Amino acid sequence: MIRLKKAGALMGAALITALVALAPGNPAHAADDRMKGKKVIFVPIAMGITLTEGWSRRMAEQAELFGIEYEVRDAAFDMKAMSELFAAAINEKPDLIVAHNPTVQLLARQIKKAEDSGIKVMQLNLSSLQNSTAFVGADWDRIGREVAEDIVKQCGEGSGKSGKVAIVPGQLTAADSVIMNEAAFAVFKEHPEIEVVSNQASDWEPEKARQITATVLQQHPDLCAVFGHWGVHTIGAGNAVKDAGKQDDVLVYATGGGNRLICNNIEQDVIDRYWSYNADGQGRDAATMMRVILQGAEPKDGEMLRVDSPLIVITKENYSPSMCWDMPS
């Protein structure tokens, strides 16, 4: 079982001091000069999806405002290319690299190399086994635990349901899947009536998630719940449930950045329960963290500056279109 190192407190004294320095009218607006001309490289798993586009939009806005050189190196879902892009970024010696880790292992050594050479690394939403200067993103342990507890409530003892659950990760070694699965299985261990009948990765592809779920439904027509680890590919799983005419019998759980596409699929009975960490808000948090790092904020030894994203749980019962956000056209 893979365990990630614990990061430090949500905000260290250095981060709070740096935030105060940004206050309008503060003489420390010389901080602007400390950021001007600094270079930031963002290496995402892929652009063209609302998560990364939303994050990058917010970081780019702040970079332009404060004279920061900001570049994006798109790996386009190619893991070999991502490793190469990160290595090339290190060679350019920027002031900060923002890493969107596809797995807990892939960039671990390179993150350490960057930090050892004096290049700060901010990990965004998906963390590595290697700590770095900062992390901004979802609290995956909390999400996995809360989803599992709700599954127990809906499918466990006294529910009259089978207790059978299918889990559809994006990738089994992705940080979100590692942490959510560990948290969920810890809950399920206390409830033996819950049976995980499938735990197959979709490689983030909706069609593959649909095929996996369709097969599971054929093998287990009394399935009670599907837990998808990212809303976009879970749409495929939800469509398989709907195609089988089981949307009233099988609950579809998902997590994600809460964009308009997700709200549309809640309205269409494709997703039932959704843990949203609001990617637009994460982008603002990442942009703020970028600025304070460039002004010299440092974590305590062995820890990370950390901001965990606020969560909202969207269900059919509490749903409102305002719970999701839109990318500007």
Side-chain angles (χ1 to χ4, degrees):
M1 186 177 294
I2 300 172
R3 290 187 180 274
L4 300 185
K5 296 178 182 178
K6 291 184 178 178
L10 293 184
M11 286 193 178
L15 180 54
I16 295 172
T17 300
L19 286 169
V20 171
L22 296 175
N26 193 305
H29 261 294
D32 294 2
D33 294 333
R34 294 202 298 270
M35 290 185 285
K36 190 172 183 178
K38 295 288 182 72
K39 183 173 183 177
V40 176
I41 298 176
F42 176 34
V43 185
I45 295 172
M47 295 300 289
I49 58 177
T50 52
L51 282 176
T52 50
E53 293 289 343
W55 299 333
S56 188
R57 174 172 69 100
R58 293 301 189 184
M59 288 189 286
E61 286 173 351
Q62 292 297 299
E64 182 177 4
L65 184 62
F66 290 96
I68 300 163
E69 183 182 348
Y70 175 77
E71 297 180 13
V72 179
R73 308 291 169 81
D74 184 1
F77 288 109
D78 184 328
M79 300 304 99
K80 181 181 178 182
M82 186 167 200
S83 182
E84 292 171 350
L85 288 168
F86 199 95
I90 292 174
N91 290 336
E92 292 181 37
K93 301 187 184 304
D95 299 279
L96 174 66
I97 299 175
V98 181
H100 180 211
N101 295 284
T103 72
V104 292
Q105 301 105 335
L106 182 69
L107 300 177
R109 290 183 180 180
Q110 290 172 306
I111 289 171
K112 185 176 188 305
K113 181 179 178 181
E115 291 276 350
D116 287 348
S117 67
I119 300 167
K120 307 299 184 185
V121 177
M122 174 171 63
Q123 302 184 56
L124 187 47
N125 211 39
L126 297 178
S127 55
S128 164
L129 288 169
Q130 176 62 47
N131 275 5
S132 63
T133 296
F135 172 82
V136 173
D139 183 342
W140 299 112
D141 181 81
R142 174 185 166 189
I143 294 173
R145 183 179 67 255
E146 288 184 0
V147 170
E149 288 170 348
D150 196 73
I151 288 173
V152 169
K153 181 179 178 181
Q154 300 298 326
C155 301
E157 186 176 356
S159 68
K161 301 292 185 67
S162 69
K164 293 182 179 180
V165 180
I167 299 176
V168 187
Q171 288 194 350
L172 287 171
T173 55
D176 62 334
S177 295
V178 170
I179 301 171
M180 283 194 290
N181 269 354
E182 185 169 329
F185 276 95
V187 172
F188 295 153
K189 186 177 180 180
E190 302 300 317
H191 297 272
E193 74 275 17
I194 299 297
E195 179 186 3
V196 177
V197 297
S198 175
N199 184 24
Q200 300 179 64
S202 72
D203 297 322
W204 313 113
E205 296 178 8
E207 177 56 25
K208 188 171 181 180
R210 187 193 67 77
Q211 293 172 2
I212 289 169
T213 307
T215 299
V216 172
L217 284 167
Q218 290 174 354
Q219 297 169 340
H220 302 277
D222 57 345
L223 189 72
C224 183
V226 176
F227 178 13
H229 285 183
W230 182 42
V232 174
H233 79 247
T234 306
I235 290 169
N239 279 324
V241 171
K242 198 170 183 180
D243 290 344
K246 291 184 174 292
Q247 64 267 35
D248 292 333
D249 304 314
V250 181
L251 286 168
V252 179
Y253 293 78
T255 77
N259 62 297
R260 184 60 49 196
L261 175 66
I262 294 302
C263 274
N264 292 343
N265 278 274
I266 292 172
E267 289 177 351
Q268 295 163 13
D269 293 328
V270 175
I271 292 174
D272 296 292
R273 285 165 160 75
Y274 184 80
W275 269 250
S276 173
Y277 42 79
N278 192 296
D280 188 48
Q282 283 182 324
R284 290 192 296 269
D285 290 341
T288 300
M289 184 68 81
M290 173 184 74
R291 288 161 53 195
V292 298
I293 290 171
L294 294 180
Q295 292 176 63
E298 294 275 0
K300 293 181 180 179
D301 289 345
E303 298 183 353
M304 292 195 287
L305 300 174
R306 183 177 179 109
V307 175
D308 287 330
S309 305
L311 292 172
I312 60 169
V313 181
I314 307 174
T315 68
K316 292 177 182 178
E317 291 73 27
N318 71 1
Y319 169 75
S320 165
S322 63
M323 290 177 160
C324 292
W325 59 280
D326 297 281
M327 281 288 292
S329 56

